[in-house]
Amino acid sequence: MPQRIVQPQNNNQVKPNAIAGQAKSASTLKQTVNAIPHSELKQKISELLTHYCTGLWLHALPKVFEDTFKIKFPSDVLNMDVLTEISSVDVICENPLKAILYPKTPQSGGQNQSLLVTNNGQKRDDELSSMEQSEEEELDTDLTPPPLVIPTEASPSVLVVELNNTEEVLIRCVGKDYSAAQELMEDEMKEFYSTHASPVKLRSLKEGQLVACKAEEETWLRAQIQSVEENRIKTVTSDIFVSLPFCGKICLSYSKGKWARVEITSVHSSRALDVQFLDSGTIASVKVSELREIPFPFLKDLISIPPQATRCCLADLPLNIGMWTPDAVLWLRNTVLNCSECSLKVVKIDEAKSMVYVYLFTSRASLDPERSINRQITNEELWRQQKNLLPSVASSVSKGRGDAGTQAAVPKKDQSNVTKKPSVEQATTGPSSDLPPPLPLPRSGEHIDVYVSVACHPGHFVFQPWQELHKLEVLMEEMLLHYSTTEEKQIEIEKNKLYAAKVDNKWYRVLLKGILTNGLVSVYELDYGRHELVNSRQVQPLIDKFRQLPFQAVTSQLAGVKCEQWSEEAAIVFRNHVEKKPLVALIQEIHESTNPWNRKVVAYVVDTTLPDTDIWIHDLMSEYLVELSKSD
């Protein structure tokens, strides 16, 4: 994200001086064309080709040469006379010229080993025979690929493909010269071996040798021979990982000692996603590295077999049940889970919603609807908690302690009375050791890159430090994986305590603000600054592991402009310019507090995304107020 060193002043034309964001590094060539003799150039090409035993496309030679030796590749070398001196050339097409270069074997000497295309498109028989005769000798040649160049940037993009423990992590680098180059190579391998592949004699293979192996769907992969046993060869190819997850994709996930079919239902990030097990109905959050593609031999059968799990709904429940209480959910689970005598009676099938409405029974002896789970679940004792919640909410509102969440539960005619009550400073959540360390902020007069997550109006918005966002993303992924794989606990919840809460299929660090009706609770997201209503069953303890990172939400007020009450129109203008955007904040003052969620910052906000102009948000809002007063 571009940032400029800025100071508040009348002239908003501040020249950009980028001090944040990522700058793309450009490859530099150490030598010029004339700096290398022709003989040395041919030697380097020959040396380079020894690392490509399966061949190198002619059009890729200049790029590979420059990346390897950091020397500009002379264009005059790309002619057949020069190339046939230092390599074996397989011409695939003459117009336009497409060819594959192979390293010359010791047996080839100075002879021309190129394979030319005849008029009828067939390769010369004598040259094919020559290749077949030298095949065994070529396989004996030690052609070791060059070592992988480790990325130089501070935070390279990687894909974790296997993780056994903290000391054994298998990753793949992502980028133009890594994953993209490998995909290009695999495409070239597929194109080449689909027309040139021929069985290799078993006696010519040995342990440790590098070979090309055919995988599923005509894919060819590089492999190393581990052992040769009679007519079978064992090859360090990696498992078929899911490299491009997307919603609706069907693949495999390991669960309870076996591989099972799953469908990806939600992709949270490059590391974590949600899946539904097709044959058990279970929904879980897993790591991308834990998924595998369906092996080609089983693909047809696994796709053709219908899912064995069906979504069902209890039919004919009373309409006034409303939100399910924890007691009702717990009773239902204890009654039907692992019950060997369960049976059901289908009442209706809603194909549009893929839902089956049923009567559920715990005994096969009787299918009388009056003895079904549908009738037993309506027991008043299971729904008493809903009635007990009402007095506590009414008391909270009458005492003026309602927050954004409780106000949503109050009739509109009473909300004016609630909002006019003075707010009360929330009590501490307990010992200071329970809280994460405070978020470091710049001093007055210093600037910081920020991302505005919430913007109500200039008097109240929330930003997150831009440089810390990657840490928050990692934390969110770890919370998602932890709470999605941990058994749900029934806990006693209290106001003004820290918890983890599930909102829209993600887990957040929250402060519980109020207990509402129908099992709902009001929470404040401590890393994003949003107020949410969630079911109390979606609230779990916030373990110590997730209390290490400082809370990322910083409550703020725009400096440089004053207004007693912002209109909805002004709030919309402000929101459109700052919400969900990377900006620069210039700190004016910080109002500290015991609790981090009560700390408040007054700051100028600047949009530096335009190439030649910095937009000072306080100037923009001041101009809007002037224009608004003129119209009145």
Side-chain angles (χ1 to χ4, degrees), residues 40-275:
E40 182 180 348
L41 177 65
K42 292 195 294 183
Q43 181 181 353
K44 287 187 177 295
I45 296 178
S46 300
E47 177 186 344
L48 179 65
L49 291 178
T50 61
H51 298 300
Y52 293 87
C53 57
T54 59
L56 177 67
W57 282 101
L58 176 61
H59 69 266
L61 176 61
K63 171 65 174 171
V64 175
F65 184 91
E66 293 176 357
D67 289 346
T68 304
F69 300 109
K70 299 297 183 293
I71 303 174
K72 184 172 178 60
F73 188 84
S75 58
D76 59 348
V77 177
L78 292 178
N79 64 76
M80 298 302 297
D81 293 336
V82 176
L83 292 175
T84 53
E85 293 179 9
I86 54 180
S87 66
S88 297
V89 183
D90 185 357
V91 179
I92 306 299
C93 177
E94 291 184 319
N95 189 19
L97 179 62
K98 288 186 178 180
I100 302 176
L101 308 179
Y102 298 92
K104 275 197 172 183
T105 61
Q107 290 78 8
S108 64
Q111 297 177 359
N112 187 345
Q113 296 289 323
S114 62
L115 303 178
L116 300 180
V117 179
T118 59
N119 293 335
N120 59 4
Q122 300 296 322
K123 296 176 181 176
R124 294 179 182 176
D125 293 339
D126 55 342
E127 291 174 337
L128 279 174
S129 176
S130 174
M131 284 192 66
E132 291 173 355
Q133 292 175 0
S134 62
E135 175 188 87
E136 188 168 332
E137 289 81 358
E138 288 185 9
L139 289 171
D140 289 333
T141 306
D142 183 15
L143 301 174
T144 304
L148 180 68
V149 179
I150 304 300
T152 57
E153 56 262 35
S155 302
S157 298
V158 298
L159 173 67
V160 179
V161 295
E162 188 172 340
L163 193 153
N164 298 320
N165 53 58
T166 56
E167 296 182 351
E168 297 181 31
V169 183
L170 180 63
I171 63 173
R172 290 176 60 185
C173 297
V174 177
K176 177 182 178 182
D177 297 326
Y178 296 95
S179 59
Q182 178 175 343
E183 292 173 2
L184 176 62
M185 178 196 69
E186 291 177 354
D187 289 341
E188 294 175 346
M189 290 177 65
K190 180 178 180 180
E191 180 180 352
F192 174 78
Y193 289 110
S194 61
T195 57
H196 294 74
S198 59
V200 178
K201 296 178 181 179
L202 191 62
R203 65 176 181 270
S204 64
L205 299 176
K206 61 182 180 180
E207 293 184 9
Q209 190 171 357
L210 297 180
V211 294
C213 288
K214 186 178 181 181
E216 77 287 345
E217 297 182 349
E218 302 298 325
T219 300
W220 286 82
L221 301 175
R222 297 186 295 177
Q224 188 174 38
I225 297 177
Q226 291 184 332
S227 63
V228 180
E229 302 173 359
E230 297 181 353
N231 293 329
R232 301 184 64 183
I233 302 172
K234 182 179 181 181
T235 61
V236 259
T237 58
S238 60
D239 292 335
I240 309 302
F241 295 96
V242 174
S243 59
L244 185 62
F246 56 87
C247 291
K249 180 180 178 62
I250 297 177
C251 49
L252 300 178
S253 180
Y254 198 72
S255 175
K256 298 180 179 179
K258 60 183 179 181
W259 290 97
R261 299 187 298 172
V262 297
E263 179 181 354
I264 298 176
T265 57
S266 178
V267 179
H268 299 292
S269 67
S270 60
R271 295 178 58 229
L273 44 74
D274 290 343
V275 298

Side-chain angles (χ1 to χ4, degrees), residues 371-493:
R371 303 184 63 179
S372 66
I373 295 295
N374 307 49
R375 295 291 184 262
Q376 298 177 49
I377 197 68
T378 58
N379 189 327
E380 290 187 3
E381 293 294 327
L382 299 176
W383 308 95
R384 179 173 296 177
Q385 182 180 359
Q386 288 184 346
K387 299 179 180 178
N388 293 340
L389 288 173
L390 293 175
S392 63
V393 177
S395 174
S396 174
V397 173
S398 64
K399 293 179 181 179
R401 296 175 182 172
D403 59 7
T406 57
Q407 293 172 24
V410 180
K412 188 173 182 179
K413 62 181 181 180
D414 295 332
Q415 287 193 13
S416 59
N417 295 331
V418 175
T419 56
K420 290 182 180 178
K421 297 287 184 178
S423 60
V424 179
E425 177 80 358
Q426 301 292 348
T428 182
T429 61
S432 58
S433 59
D434 292 339
L435 295 175
L439 179 69
L441 289 174
R443 293 175 295 181
S444 177
E446 296 180 344
H447 52 258
I448 178 176
D449 293 329
V450 301
Y451 180 82
V452 177
S453 57
V454 174
C456 297
H457 51 74
H460 179 86
F461 64 96
V462 178
F463 70 72
Q464 302 163 309
W466 178 267
Q467 299 296 338
E468 300 294 313
L469 284 182
H470 69 285
K471 296 180 181 178
L472 179 58
E473 291 176 358
V474 172
L475 174 70
M476 294 289 290
E477 290 176 351
E478 292 177 348
M479 290 181 65
L480 175 70
L481 295 170
H482 172 80
Y483 289 107
S484 299
T485 56
T486 303
E487 185 177 357
E488 181 181 301
K489 299 178 181 179
Q490 294 291 332
I491 61 173
E492 293 291 334
I493 54 177

Side-chain angles (χ1 to χ4, degrees), residues 229-366:
E229 302 173 359
E230 297 181 353
N231 293 329
R232 301 184 64 183
I233 302 172
K234 182 179 181 181
T235 61
V236 259
T237 58
S238 60
D239 292 335
I240 309 302
F241 295 96
V242 174
S243 59
L244 185 62
F246 56 87
C247 291
K249 180 180 178 62
I250 297 177
C251 49
L252 300 178
S253 180
Y254 198 72
S255 175
K256 298 180 179 179
K258 60 183 179 181
W259 290 97
R261 299 187 298 172
V262 297
E263 179 181 354
I264 298 176
T265 57
S266 178
V267 179
H268 299 292
S269 67
S270 60
R271 295 178 58 229
L273 44 74
D274 290 343
V275 298
Q276 181 174 19
F277 287 81
L278 296 181
D279 301 311
S280 67
T282 305
I283 297 177
S285 295
V286 299
K287 298 178 181 177
V288 175
S289 60
E290 296 175 355
L291 300 179
R292 298 292 186 272
E293 296 283 4
I294 299 176
F296 183 71
F298 309 109
L299 184 62
K300 182 178 180 180
D301 291 337
L302 290 181
I303 295 298
S304 61
I305 298 175
Q308 301 300 294
T310 303
R311 295 178 65 222
C312 298
C313 178
L314 296 180
D316 300 333
L317 292 180
L319 296 178
N320 60 351
I321 279 185
M323 182 71 67
W324 282 57
T325 64
D327 287 342
V329 174
L330 185 61
W331 179 86
L332 183 62
R333 286 181 175 178
N334 293 338
T335 304
V336 302
L337 282 182
N338 302 319
C339 177
S340 60
E341 295 295 320
C342 267
S343 60
L344 56 83
K345 179 180 179 180
V346 177
V347 177
K348 182 179 66 173
I349 299 179
D350 189 339
E351 295 184 356
K353 297 181 179 179
S354 300
M355 184 71 71
V356 178
Y357 293 84
V358 301
Y359 276 95
L360 187 61
F361 305 90
T362 55
S363 174
R364 299 175 184 174
S366 174

Side-chain angles (χ1 to χ4, degrees), residues 412-584:
K412 188 173 182 179
K413 62 181 181 180
D414 295 332
Q415 287 193 13
S416 59
N417 295 331
V418 175
T419 56
K420 290 182 180 178
K421 297 287 184 178
S423 60
V424 179
E425 177 80 358
Q426 301 292 348
T428 182
T429 61
S432 58
S433 59
D434 292 339
L435 295 175
L439 179 69
L441 289 174
R443 293 175 295 181
S444 177
E446 296 180 344
H447 52 258
I448 178 176
D449 293 329
V450 301
Y451 180 82
V452 177
S453 57
V454 174
C456 297
H457 51 74
H460 179 86
F461 64 96
V462 178
F463 70 72
Q464 302 163 309
W466 178 267
Q467 299 296 338
E468 300 294 313
L469 284 182
H470 69 285
K471 296 180 181 178
L472 179 58
E473 291 176 358
V474 172
L475 174 70
M476 294 289 290
E477 290 176 351
E478 292 177 348
M479 290 181 65
L480 175 70
L481 295 170
H482 172 80
Y483 289 107
S484 299
T485 56
T486 303
E487 185 177 357
E488 181 181 301
K489 299 178 181 179
Q490 294 291 332
I491 61 173
E492 293 291 334
I493 54 177
E494 302 178 45
K495 289 181 60 177
N496 303 321
K497 297 291 185 180
L498 301 181
Y499 296 96
K502 188 176 183 180
V503 182
D504 294 334
N505 295 322
K506 292 186 178 181
W507 287 88
Y508 296 83
R509 301 190 294 180
V510 301
L511 176 70
L512 197 143
K513 303 282 286 183
I515 302 175
L516 311 180
T517 61
N518 296 335
L520 295 178
V521 295
S522 170
V523 298
Y524 175 73
E525 296 175 359
L526 294 163
D527 295 305
Y528 292 86
R530 298 188 294 255
H531 291 268
E532 300 285 356
L533 287 178
V534 299
N535 192 293
S536 59
R537 299 196 307 270
Q538 305 295 336
V539 176
Q540 293 292 299
L542 184 65
I543 62 176
D544 291 340
K545 176 183 178 180
F546 302 134
R547 294 178 181 235
Q548 307 307 310
L549 181 70
F551 296 132
Q552 299 294 296
V554 180
T555 305
S556 309
Q557 174 183 335
L558 184 64
V561 61
K562 292 183 179 180
C563 182
E564 294 295 330
Q565 183 174 359
W566 293 95
S567 65
E568 181 61 27
E569 292 79 5
I572 293 175
V573 171
F574 177 73
R575 189 178 304 123
N576 289 340
H577 279 85
V578 303
E579 192 170 60
K580 310 299 182 187
K581 292 184 178 181
L583 302 166
V584 177

